[in-house]
Each structure stands twice: as C-alpha cells, then as structure tokens.
Amino acid sequence: MSAAYTSELATITFNSITFDAVGSMSISSARAPIETTQVGSLNSHFLAGVLTSAIALDIYYNNSNHSAFTDSLVDGTIAAFTFTTTTGTSITGSGLVTGVDVVASMGDIVRGSVSIQVTGQITWAGNAAALGGNET
C-alpha cells in the first residue's frame, strides 16, 4: 500500500525560481479521442487524440518571485516547470502563463493564483508523454 501525498512541503519551480509555499496545485491532462467511424458502421472507431494539459496553482504571494509568472504572462514566453511532491515524485514540462490573480483579504495571508497552459511534452514521475511525428 502506498502513502497518500501531502502538499505541505510541495514545491513548484517555474523559470528557475522555486516556490516553496504551495497552497494547492491541480494539473489536468486529457487526450480527447478522434472519431474515425465510417458511414454505415455498426460500431464506433477512435484514434488517440492530442494530449492537452493545464495547471491551476495557488501559492503564497511573494512579489519578487511572482515576477516569474507576471513576466511570462506579459511577454508571452514559455518556461520550464517542475512540480515536486513531498515524496519526491515530480511532474515536469514547459508552459505558458495564461492568468495571474493576487488575492488579499483583510487580516489574511496574500495568495496568488496562476493558470499555466502546458505546451509540448509533459513527464509524470519519469514517464514522458508520447511525441508526434512532427515533434521529434
């Protein structure tokens, strides 16, 4: 039996800057199938589609470190990321920042929310996603 991951010490590195205080991170990946069913068929037929991944990140705000996200958002640049769990498992790839929010409530910790669109190959715990013919 494996232990559940806890995120109390999880980190994310984006554009060579490490953020230690990760409140939450969600990464979603999907490979929508492409239907290839011919007219008149009695059964559906599919091919594997293109893998799409996105990250939603909630971290404690730090103005100097957050510039990595805001600069990427404003410049439209793609940067490498690595998310590491408390057990040392990592998710790596490159992404484009598509949104940055800073949330501050009276008497509370200032938090930053960041949305990243993964572009190119993503690696989950050492298992790299397949590359297409024009990506190799």
Side-chain angles (χ1 to χ4, degrees), residues 21-23 58-62 66 101-113:
V22 175
D58 181 33
I59 56 181
Y60 298 105
Y61 182 76
N62 174 318
H66 259 72
D101 294 313
V102 176
V103 180
S105 299
M106 179 64 96
D108 201 359
I109 296 171
V110 179
R111 298 178 78 108
S113 296

Side-chain angles (χ1 to χ4, degrees), residues 5-7 9-11 82-91:
Y5 292 156
T6 59
S7 59
L9 298 174
T11 62
T82 300
F83 175 71
T84 306
T85 67
T86 56
T87 61
T89 301
S90 64
I91 301 167

Side-chain angles (χ1 to χ4, degrees), residues 29-31 48-53 118-124 126-136:
S29 290
R31 187 179 296 275
V50 176
L51 183 66
T52 302
S53 301
V118 177
T119 180
Q121 191 175 31
I122 188 169
T123 301
W124 294 77
N127 185 16
L131 289 174
N134 63 349
E135 295 174 295
T136 56

